[in-house]
Amino acid sequence: MTLTVTDLTIARGGLPVLAGLSFAVSKGQALILRGPNGAGKTTLLRTIAGLQEPIGGAISGAEDQIAYAAHADGLKAMLSVRENLEFWAEVFGQDGVDAAIKTFNLTELGDRLAGTLSAGQKRRLGLARLLVTGRPIWVLDEPTVSLDVASVALFADAVRGHLATGGMALIATHIDLGLEDAQVFDVGPFAATMDTPRGASDEAFL
């Protein structure tokens, strides 16, 4: 299984931001997206995750395979840590949340309501959801926001474990996660020009 992006052109608010993108990620691989703020990394990840349509090009290998995590943690405030993970496990037809709780050091917080957690604890819980989806492709937008150094290490270990079992990861981040064999893809050279055809507005997703 390979996630393949071919000659992709994407837009934000109907205005092209990136054009001519091509890359591939295979089993056991991680691809790190780089580029300045506003370059289009978030728009690219949203397009790959199926949340908006590209202007042109193609994405293959992603159908019903992606677990997407963005800036919002996607938690239910009145459910406990464990209940949140059990909810998402049920949504994705998976069983068991103990491994996810242990991986992100949430054991002592299992009965705490998600709404009472600190920003960093909420982020760890949001990332723990990845482990209960059963999806092989992780598409992650700045996943380490609000995490301290120890929690970043937990996340990096989780990614390594995912890759070791044949998973894939596409991650937009400005920090070094220490993923030794990860590819780095800079979106900067693919900035759209005035000649790039415009697409339909995607304001509903902004």
Side-chain angles (χ1 to χ4, degrees):
M1 180 176 60
T2 300
L3 171 65
T4 304
V5 170
T6 305
D7 198 25
L8 195 69
T9 298
I10 60 174
R12 180 172 58 239
L15 298 176
V17 289
L18 294 172
L21 290 157
S22 294
F23 57 82
V25 188
S26 298
K27 288 183 177 181
Q29 291 185 332
L31 180 71
I32 306 298
L33 293 180
R34 300 276 198 231
N37 291 335
K41 299 185 299 297
T42 293
T43 303
L44 174 58
L45 294 180
R46 289 175 57 83
T47 304
I48 291 172
L51 298 177
Q52 62 187 69
E53 293 291 328
I55 293 176
I59 303 166
S60 62
E63 298 83 1
D64 297 322
Q65 301 295 313
I66 286 178
Y68 174 66
H71 299 161
D73 293 314
L75 306 178
K76 295 186 176 297
M78 297 309 295
L79 294 182
S80 70
V81 166
R82 177 173 288 276
E83 288 169 340
N84 265 277
L85 292 175
E86 289 173 342
F87 169 81
W88 285 109
E90 183 176 353
V91 167
F92 285 94
Q94 302 296 307
D95 295 318
V97 300
D98 289 342
I101 288 175
K102 181 178 180 181
T103 297
F104 282 93
N105 195 24
L106 296 167
T107 302
E108 294 183 0
L109 301 173
D111 295 328
R112 285 269 301 274
L113 294 181
T116 68
L117 301 177
S118 70
Q121 291 167 339
K122 287 178 180 177
R123 173 56 54 156
R124 278 191 281 139
L125 176 54
L127 292 172
R129 290 185 304 141
L130 296 167
L131 296 174
V132 303
T133 64
R135 296 288 176 89
I137 306 174
W138 291 359
V139 175
L140 312 176
D141 191 2
E142 298 294 347
T144 61
V145 171
S146 300
L147 294 183
D148 58 22
V149 173
S151 296
V152 170
L154 290 177
F155 167 70
D157 284 343
V159 174
R160 290 189 191 95
H162 181 62
L163 300 179
T165 58
M168 295 176 275
L170 180 58
I171 309 171
T173 180
H174 294 287
I175 71 168
D176 183 2
L177 295 172
L179 301 175
E180 296 79 8
D181 298 324
Q183 306 172 66
V184 176
F185 187 89
D186 187 351
V187 302
F190 299 92
T193 66
M194 294 293 292
D195 297 327
T196 304
R198 294 181 57 155
S201 174
D202 58 346
E203 293 293 343
F205 294 110
L206 300 179

